Amino acid sequence: MDNKMNTPRFRNAIVRMPCKNMVNGITSANLGKPDYNLACRQHDKYIEALTSCGLHVDILDANEAYPDSTFIEDVALLTSECAVITNPGALSRKGEEKDVVRIIEKHYKHVEFIREPGTIEAGDIMMAGSHYYIGLSERTNKEGVRQMTETLRKYGMDASTVELREVLHLKTGVAYLEHNNMVTAGEFISHPVFQEFNLLKVGGNEAYAANCIWVNETVIVPSGYPQTKNMIASFGYRIIDVDLSEFQKLDGGASCLSLRF
Ligand code: CIR
């Protein structure tokens, strides 16, 4: 990123190919097993979308040892000042972060680590300028939040905590689109901490689309949610929609599939 105070400009993304073992990923969605081949095609389109926003995309090989490893967002927080490697809270995801360190070290001089007993998954962390909102969730514990906050402060950034009640990760239900605009769904619509933003409120029937991503003035949204798409477009953003049905079956959305920096 060029500038932490103003609108950022992302230049890079890292993604990880889905693995065949994704059919055994963690899920609460009740939408059936994902189709691996279709997931790979959807993932290719997702990469195309990132590329069309001007990003160079590093594509890591699939890792069959970790069914959820395509959701690479959870294993690192990449800021303008430093990278922080997380410690996932889900048992089957512990260790998933290890083989992304090498690629991150190519891009970052400062690489920090969250350590036991702290757990954190970066799907719980949302950047808004140099401030980071950190969800306290089933995956992210108080010690993880403490370590992350301390690390961010060390590099001149700051953080505050948001307690989650219903969703898996913070960014399952909220997305910052820069320019003070924030997409919110469910429990976050009336959350006091977000009332200073211009809230784009997503209805319950389209809640999955609240997990969308701002990439250099384009917003990548999951396809099939026309009200959310039109609402975001009406604010002047370019929109790309990508079918993410196979990732939705594993509770994953647009943010989870990449690290953007
Ligand atoms: C999990 O439960 O860990 C995966 N099945 C989904 C992770 C989604 N990641 C995200 O929201 N950042």
Side-chain angles (χ1 to χ4, degrees), residues 25-27 68 71 73-74 90 93 121-123 139 168-169 172 211 250-253 255-256:
I26 310 168
T27 183
D68 286 298
F71 301 116
E73 164 177 76
D74 292 319
R93 301 195 65 180
E121 296 185 0
R139 305 289 181 85
L168 171 64
H169 287 126
T172 308
N211 187 338
L250 297 178
D251 300 334
S255 74
C256 322

Side-chain angles (χ1 to χ4, degrees), residues 6-68:
N6 298 318
T7 309
R9 174 144 196 102
F10 295 129
R11 301 204 176 281
N12 298 285
I14 305 174
V15 300
R16 173 135 64 180
M17 290 305 295
C19 60
K20 293 195 173 92
N21 199 17
M22 75 182 289
V23 295
N24 295 314
I26 310 168
T27 183
S28 64
N30 227 350
L31 295 170
K33 294 256 182 218
D35 175 326
Y36 164 71
N37 291 314
L38 180 54
C40 289
R41 291 200 293 279
Q42 292 178 348
H43 198 257
D44 286 347
K45 293 277 180 212
Y46 178 82
I47 294 169
E48 262 175 42
L50 293 174
T51 306
S52 90
C53 297
L55 303 193
H56 169 82
V57 183
D58 284 318
I59 306 171
L60 304 188
D61 290 340
N63 184 342
E64 294 295 339
Y66 292 100
D68 286 298

Side-chain angles (χ1 to χ4, degrees), residues 40-226:
C40 289
R41 291 200 293 279
Q42 292 178 348
H43 198 257
D44 286 347
K45 293 277 180 212
Y46 178 82
I47 294 169
E48 262 175 42
L50 293 174
T51 306
S52 90
C53 297
L55 303 193
H56 169 82
V57 183
D58 284 318
I59 306 171
L60 304 188
D61 290 340
N63 184 342
E64 294 295 339
Y66 292 100
D68 286 298
S69 51
T70 193
F71 301 116
I72 192 167
E73 164 177 76
D74 292 319
V75 301
L77 178 70
L78 303 184
T79 77
S80 58
E81 313 299 316
C82 64
V84 189
I85 309 300
T86 69
N87 179 26
L91 269 184
S92 67
R93 301 195 65 180
K94 286 202 180 293
E96 200 182 291
E97 71 286 358
K98 294 211 166 66
D99 63 355
V100 299
V101 176
R102 215 171 317 128
I103 181 100
I104 286 173
E105 280 173 344
K106 283 192 188 148
H107 291 281
Y108 278 89
K109 190 162 102 192
H110 302 292
V111 181
E112 305 277 352
F113 293 83
I114 302 298
R115 313 216 182 253
E116 290 286 344
T119 67
I120 198 158
E121 296 185 0
D124 273 323
I125 310 178
M126 179 175 66
M127 176 181 80
S130 58
H131 191 88
Y132 290 78
Y133 293 92
I134 309 180
L136 194 56
S137 69
E138 282 185 11
R139 305 289 181 85
T140 295
N141 66 15
K142 283 192 176 150
E143 174 58 14
V145 173
R146 192 197 65 73
Q147 290 181 30
M148 183 61 79
T149 303
E150 190 178 272
T151 305
L152 291 169
R153 288 187 178 150
K154 177 173 150 191
Y155 290 91
M157 298 168 281
D158 207 356
S160 49
T161 309
V162 183
E163 259 182 66
L164 306 198
R165 293 193 313 263
E166 288 157 20
V167 292
L168 171 64
H169 287 126
L170 178 67
K171 282 185 290 186
T172 308
V174 61
Y176 187 53
L177 306 186
E178 305 299 326
H179 315 292
N180 210 46
N181 294 328
M182 191 172 282
V183 176
T184 47
E187 64 187 280
F188 302 119
I189 291 179
S190 56
H191 199 294
V193 84
F194 298 129
Q195 299 309 309
E196 64 180 286
F197 294 97
N198 178 36
L199 298 184
L200 284 66
K201 298 173 185 170
V202 173
N205 57 334
E206 296 212 352
Y208 179 67
N211 187 338
C212 55
I213 48 173
W214 177 97
V215 188
N216 303 339
E217 303 303 5
T218 295
V219 180
I220 301 177
V221 297
S223 57
Y225 301 92

